[in-house]
């Protein structure tokens, strides 16, 4: 299951979109396998790939499975020498199946990315590039720095920045989002991606990436797993597994002289069977599938990790830097209350505020109309309803909006502008208007004054309280993060007073006010000096150094190429809240690895109890007391253990692809739960499994 | 009072005494290894050996110190034995043969104290006191130094320096081992252990005939033999001999000395890494295994049925009547779960399962509580392995005591845990496959195999106790056991010091709610499980063909 599906997705309502050009919602595009699904048919589909992986050069990368492969070859050879030994043939067959199942697990994991890679390849048609000087060259011959021209209908030939013009662009090929986005020269919306299509207008693009190394190329490599390198923790785990394999190799290889002395001759086939049962095949077989699936889960949530190391680092993150705007709060300030001054009522203020805001198309203005409707039941009046009304739209210069109708002039706007307007008309500003406005400012909000001029003269009626609205559920998420041991720091350009108010409301642990890019960088370095791993999001060019410095730097897809280059992940949805999901996916990957390792090692106990009495009860009858599972015959006992060992791999493929269930709780509770399931479960499960297989085998005549 | 009650009361008294000294001794040792001051006598020693005790050493330098000092010890001890015949004060004993001299020199320098000779019939006063007893002190101090270096690796950050080997070595001897051993020797003398330089006495036996007994500085050697988890007895009968261990109280006191430093050093560790609780978690892990083994041993020894056992009121063969089954069981478990190897009863004569318990104790790597120093570093290596496997289950890359367990760390820890199983299994297999070594077995069948398996388990893990029955004074055994003792001691030490170096260079990761809490009981349980499954299971096939086959037959 994906961590993302368990939570309410803060991006699910369009109003939460942080930027106009960011796609809303992150529904998986068609052709992708939704995370959390596992279709048994995939096993069959991937079978040819599993056979293709029976290649020594590939197998040698996994020490555990390589030993199983060598074992399979050995038992097969020995079976040829003694063709009448049905046990040898059966064990050989199951050992080959064990190897095959491991390859199958990997093939299935890789298969999930293949469909997506195909879609991407379609986008990457080798388009012709029309250079600014008029020459036309194939897109593959572009060089960094070339200027190319793209018009409506053209496919952009390579990654670059818009240096001239503005255009709407269809980026659905990479983001899966069909709504077009705007790209324009200058600023933080200048980056375009090769393979996307220009829908309107004409732009000139400076190519920033060599062909073959473009974003889409990297994406294809990533989802296909072609560029997959083992992550540091995976390498370390492989070392431990290799050393356990050597230890059991020693235990088995030294057994023949001991057995000889005891008067029992051990054949190669049973020795190999014992060895394969003891070495950690379960985790050895599933390790790479777990890694691929972890990356895949990120891709499912529309995040591209440029390195597996970053995914692991995400699990270790202990400090999250979150931008206030768009991440913690909705993108814009919204009206939160109407405060009357002396001599007026709230309803009166609401009425005038609404009326004066009808001509204000800014998000703030809209929010006033919405609040008046929600809180005071004031129907939104249409501008056409008021006959003879003269509308005054909001402009950045006047900082006011309003309407003149029926001899009444109403205005709302920034405090200074409204006061000037009232005083100009000989009106008075009541003293408490200033008090209220100050109080709102101190609480981190923005006061807007509402004024009217009618037969009673000009006067201020009240104050609108505009404030940053913290997104729903953020407080709970920060609490979860705290339980996971992750500190959240809010970054904002606001003054400390405003910042503190929002920080308190959102429940973040700390904040950085009036933040400059340098401050941000210093903060990251300070956290890192204390041994903490820091994650952050960013999209602007001035975020680039901080993105590069952070351990997990998630660049927004809408951001500049500099930001995307600097970060080690790119969020195609450009949703900064995604950082939290990324951390969870990182943790889930590590947990799955640990859980299956523990399970695999714990399995050994039962296998000993099956095989040791089977091997030696003939010479030392007392050892039959170890046969606590009461297995029907020595042959059946050994075979049951081998079969269990192979089948458990297939049984755990879904778990390794989906990942172990993850809930944001403290490390203590998580360990208790997982140790209970995978540690104790790992001890008990094979006793039951081997016994059941033995029961089935004993029904076959000649074995039981 | 029945023998079971007596055994349990002895156990309780022992636990009480260990608990009583835990805090003062652990705290004192932490101070010893952290102090900046040098005692006058220490300064003389530093001047004498030409060492600067204040220079910090990186791990290769520290390791070079360990190896150089130990090599000098082996050479000196070898020469001393080879020259015994011409040295005065040797009770007229001849020089020792080369293979046995090599074996003995290695054995005492590696803190193993495997003895293929009869002490009272081979080693004179000079070799015993100037050679063997000296190594009893310094080989123990070397183990403690390496453990302290590893602890510093966890405690320090962004430095490659692990302290100074010479300072750690000298302080271990001067400030910890000598004072404690002196007190221990006085108590033992009070119990009736002999302490003299008398010659050989001819004593008449009850049944007629005569017997030769010699005296010696036994109490002083006995104290450090147990305290330094050495185990090499003055007499061949070791702590079963009445001159070494005369009374039930002296028996209990010797067990106390064996366990004293290994258990107390967990507090030293906790204090040095800045969290006493982490020390308690390691202590709890050690104590759980030790107590579990004692319980199992008492159960198998007391409950064994059969006419001979019932007549003797339990499995009394090979046990001293004055210690009984309880005292002998506690001693046997304590000596094999530490690297001591002293014996007050004959492990070969324990029930089949009882013999298996002593072997398993050594095979776990002698970490519960283990040898002085070596027990702590062995246990910390297992903690690193356990953290690595299970730590992932909390959703972070593994870390222990604020240090990340990455590729290099796990490589060193994995190599560490491979060394002794490789030595035990490969050498036992070769011995069993060759025609001659088997001639040393006294018994046939599973018990005979156990004798050989026990010998290599004991030597590789630097225990030194013998299953008895095996004639180990052959060229084959003297040589191969000598080799495995050397490899089993110094190869793991090299990995420990390299690990310490790599840990010390790291910047610590701060503890958050997302950190695996290694000071909690849950982790202790996990660690016990990891030790039993990861190390224990490697030996399961071998144990099945030896003690299990024998023990389950009854």
């Amino acid at each position: 299951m994906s961590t993302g599906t368990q939570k309410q997705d803060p991006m699910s309502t369009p109003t939460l979109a942080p930027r106009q050009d960011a796609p809303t919602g992150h529904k998986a595009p068609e052709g992708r396998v939704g995370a959390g699904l596992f279709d048994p048919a995939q096993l069959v589909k991937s079978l040819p790939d599993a056979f293709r992986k029976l290649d020594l050069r590939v197998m040698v990368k996994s020490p555990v499975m390589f030993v199983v492969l060598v074992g399979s070859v050995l038992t097969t050879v020995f079976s040829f020498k003694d063709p009448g030994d049905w046990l040898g043939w059966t064990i050989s067959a199951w050992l080959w199946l064990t190897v095959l199942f491991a390859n199958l697990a990997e093939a299935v994991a890789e298969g999930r990315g293949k469909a997506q890679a195909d879609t991407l390849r379609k986008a990457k048609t080798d388009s012709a590039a029309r250079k600014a000087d008029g020459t036309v060259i194939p897109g593959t011959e572009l060089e960094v720095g070339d200027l190319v021209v793209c018009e409506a209908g053209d496919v952009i030939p390579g990654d670059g920045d818009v240096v001239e013009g503005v255009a709407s662009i269809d980026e659905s090929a990479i983001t899966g989002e069909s709504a077009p986005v705007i790209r324009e020269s200058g600023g933080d919306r200048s980056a375009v991606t090769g393979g996307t299509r220009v829908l309107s207008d004409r732009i000139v693009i400076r190519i920033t990436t060599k062909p073959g190394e473009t974003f889409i190329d990297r994406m294809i490599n990533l989802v296909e797993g072609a560029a997959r390198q083992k992550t540091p923790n995976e390498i370390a785990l492989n070392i431990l597994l290799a050393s356990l394999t050597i230890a059991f190799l020693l235990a088995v290889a030294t057994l023949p002289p001991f057995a000889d002395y005891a008067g029992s001759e051990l054949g190669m086939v049973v020795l190999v069977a014992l060895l394969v049962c003891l070495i950690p095949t379960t985790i050895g077989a599933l390790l790479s599938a777990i890694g691929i699936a972890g990356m895949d889960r990120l891709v499912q949530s529309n995040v591209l990790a440029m390195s597996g190391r970053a995914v692991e680092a995400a699990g270790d993150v202990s400090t999250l830097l979150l931008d206030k705007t768009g991440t913690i709060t909705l993108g814009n300030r919204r009206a939160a209350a109407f405060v009357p001054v002396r001599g007026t009522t709230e309803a009166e203020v609401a009425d005038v505020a609404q009326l004066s805001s009808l001509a204000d198309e800014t998000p703030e203005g809209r929010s006033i109309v919405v609040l008046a409707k929600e809180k005071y039941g004031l129907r939104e009046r249409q501008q056409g309803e008021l006959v003879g009304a003269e509308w005054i739209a909001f402009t950045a210069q006047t900082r006011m909006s309003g309407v003149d109708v029926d001899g009444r002039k109403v205005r709302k706007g920034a405090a200074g502008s409204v006061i000037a307007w009232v005083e100009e008309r000989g009106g008075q500003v009541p003293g408490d208007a200033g008090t209220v406005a100050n109080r709102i400012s101190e609480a981190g909000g923005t006061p807007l004054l509402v004024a009217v001029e009618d037969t009673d003269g000009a006067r201020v009626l009240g104050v609108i309280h505009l404030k940053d609205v913290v997104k729903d559920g953020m407080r709970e998420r920060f609490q979860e993060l705290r339980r996971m041991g992750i500190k959240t720091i809010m970054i904002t350009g606001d003054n400390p007073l405003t910042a503190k108010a929002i920080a308190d409301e959102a429940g973040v642990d700390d904040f950085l006010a009036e933040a400059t890019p340098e401050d941000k960088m210093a903060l990251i370095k300070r956290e890192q000096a204390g041994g903490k791993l820091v994650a952050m999001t960013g999209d602007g060019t001035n975020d680039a150094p901080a993105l590069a410095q952070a351990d997990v730097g998630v660049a927004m897809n809408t951001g500049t190429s500099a930001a995307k280059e600097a970060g080690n992940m790119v969020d195609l949805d450009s949703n900064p809240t995604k950082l939290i999901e990324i951390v969870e996916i990182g943790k889930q990957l590590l947990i799955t690895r640990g859980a299956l390792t523990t399970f695999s090692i714990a399995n050994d106990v039962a296998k000993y109890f099956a095989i040791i009495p089977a091997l030696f009860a003939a010479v030392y009858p007392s050892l039959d007391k170890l046969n606590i599972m009461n297995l029907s015959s020595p042959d059946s006992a050994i075979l049951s253990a081998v079969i269990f060992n192979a089948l458990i791999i297939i049984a755990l493929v879904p778990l390794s692809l989906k990942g172990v269930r993850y809930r944001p709780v403290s490390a203590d509770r998580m360990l208790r739960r997982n140790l209970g399931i995978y540690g104790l479960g790992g001890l008990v499960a094979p006793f039951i499994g081997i016994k059941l297989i033995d029961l089935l085998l004993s029904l076959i005549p000649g074995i039981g | 009072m029945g023998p079971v009650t007596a055994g349990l009361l002895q156990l309780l008294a022992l636990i009480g005494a260990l608990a009583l000294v835990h805090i003062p001794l652990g705290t004192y040792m932490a101070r010893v290894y952290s102090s900046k001051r040098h005692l006058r006598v220490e300064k003389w020693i530093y001047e004498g050996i030409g060492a600067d005790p204040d220079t910090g050493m990186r791990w290769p330098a520290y390791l070079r110190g360990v190896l150089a000092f130990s090599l000098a010890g082996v050479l000196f001890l070898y020469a001393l034995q080879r020259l015994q015949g011409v040295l005065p004060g040797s009770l007229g004993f001849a020089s020792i043969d080369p293979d046995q001299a090599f074996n003995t020199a290695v054995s005492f320098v590696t803190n193993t104290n495997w003895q293929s000779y009869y002490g009272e019939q081979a080693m004179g006063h000079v070799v015993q006191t100037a050679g063997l007893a000296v190594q009893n002190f310094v080989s123990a101090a070397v183990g403690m130094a390496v453990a302290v270096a590893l602890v510093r690796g966890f405690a320090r950050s962004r430095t490659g320096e692990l302290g100074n080997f010479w300072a750690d070595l000298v302080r271990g001897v001067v400030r910890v081992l000598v004072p404690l051993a002196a007190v221990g020797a006085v108590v033992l003398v009070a119990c009736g252990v002999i302490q003299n330089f008398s010659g050989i006495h001819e004593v008449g036996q009850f049944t007629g005939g005569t017997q030769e007994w010699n005296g010696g500085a036994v109490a002083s050697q006995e104290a450090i033999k147990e305290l330094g988890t050495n185990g090499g007895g003055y007499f061949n009968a070791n702590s079963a001999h009445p001159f070494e261990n005369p009374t039930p109280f002296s028996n209990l006191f010797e067990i106390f000395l064996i366990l004293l430093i290994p258990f107390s050093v967990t507090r030293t560790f906790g204090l040095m890494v800045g969290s006493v609780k982490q020390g308690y978690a390691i202590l709890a892990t050690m104590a759980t295994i030790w107590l579990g083994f004692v319980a199992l041993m008492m159960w198998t020894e007391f409950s064994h049925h059969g006419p001979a056992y019932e007549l003797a009121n339990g499995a009394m063969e090979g046990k001293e009547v004055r210690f009984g089954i309880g005292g002998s069981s506690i001693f046997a478990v304590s000596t094999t779960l530490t690297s001591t190897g002293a014996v007050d009863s004959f492990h070969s004569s324990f029930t089949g399962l009882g013999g298996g318990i002593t072997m398993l104790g050594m095979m776990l790597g002698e970490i519960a509580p283990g040898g002085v120093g070596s027990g702590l570093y062995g246990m910390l290596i297992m903690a690193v392995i356990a953290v690595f496997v299970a730590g992932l289950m909390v959703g972070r890359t593994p870390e222990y005591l604020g240090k990340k367990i990455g590729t290099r760390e796990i490589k060193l820890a994995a190599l560490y845990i491979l060394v002794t199983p490789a030595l035990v299994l490969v050498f036992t297999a070769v011995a069993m496959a060759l025609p001659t070594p088997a001639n040393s077995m006294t018994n046939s069948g599973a018990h005979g195999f156990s004798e050989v398996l026990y010998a290599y388990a004991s030597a590789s893990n630097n225990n030194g106790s013998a299953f008895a029955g095996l004639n180990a004074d052959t060229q084959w055994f003297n040589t191969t056991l000598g080799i495995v003792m050397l490899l089993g001691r110094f190869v793991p030490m090299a990995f420990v010091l390299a690990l310490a170096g790599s840990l010390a260079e790291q910047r610590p990761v701060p503890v958050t709610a997302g950190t695996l809490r290694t000071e909690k009981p849950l982790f202790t349980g996990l660690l016990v499980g990891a030790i039993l499954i990861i190390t224990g299971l490697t030996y399961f096939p071998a144990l099945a063909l030896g003690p299990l086959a024998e023990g389950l037959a009854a």
Side-chain angles (χ1 to χ4, degrees), chain B residues 428-503:
Chain B
T428 310
V430 174
M432 295 307 292
L434 291 176
T436 41
N439 295 340
S440 289
M441 293 181 201
T442 311
N443 289 279
S444 59
H447 199 82
F449 171 66
S450 291
E451 289 172 5
V452 179
L453 181 64
Y454 192 105
Y456 286 105
S458 172
S460 307
N461 286 290
N462 300 138
N463 186 277
S465 66
F467 208 41
L470 186 77
N471 171 25
D473 187 16
T474 65
Q475 274 197 351
W476 165 263
F477 280 108
N478 273 334
T479 313
T480 55
L481 290 173
I483 291 170
V484 300
M485 284 188 272
L486 273 180
L487 296 177
R489 176 75 165 175
F490 296 109
V491 177
M493 271 188 178
F495 293 136
V496 167
L497 288 173
L499 177 66
S502 129
L503 292 171

Side-chain angles (χ1 to χ4, degrees), chain B residues 77-87 90 92-105 116-119 121-124 127-128 132 473 478:
Chain B
L77 213 51
Y78 180 80
L80 202 63
Q81 293 176 77
R82 297 287 294 134
L83 296 174
Q84 177 169 254
V86 296
L87 290 175
S90 297
F93 293 140
S95 298
I96 311 292
D97 291 339
D99 60 321
Q100 194 172 47
F102 161 73
N103 182 284
T104 307
S116 68
Y117 58 89
Y118 292 88
Q121 292 168 25
M123 304 294 181
V127 175
Q128 291 268 23
L132 305 183
D473 187 16
N478 273 334

Side-chain angles (χ1 to χ4, degrees), chain A residues 528-569:
Chain A
Q528 286 174 336
K532 290 181 174 163
L533 263 59
V534 181
M536 69 168 284
T537 59
D539 56 0
T541 300
N542 57 13
D543 282 332
L547 278 173
Q549 177 72 28
D551 301 282
V552 177
V554 184
M556 301 292 101
N557 190 43
T558 52
T560 58
S561 340
K564 280 154 96 177
E565 278 300 316
N568 45 20
M569 293 191 195

Side-chain angles (χ1 to χ4, degrees), chain B residues 97-144:
Chain B
D97 291 339
D99 60 321
Q100 194 172 47
F102 161 73
N103 182 284
T104 307
V106 166
S107 168
F108 276 75
V109 171
T110 56
N111 197 249
T112 312
N113 308 49
W114 171 269
Q115 294 165 294
S116 68
Y117 58 89
Y118 292 88
E120 58 271 48
Q121 292 168 25
M123 304 294 181
H125 292 318
V126 174
V127 175
Q128 291 268 23
T129 358
L132 305 183
V134 168
Q135 276 304 328
N136 277 355
F137 282 96
V138 292
S139 70
V142 167
M144 289 162 75

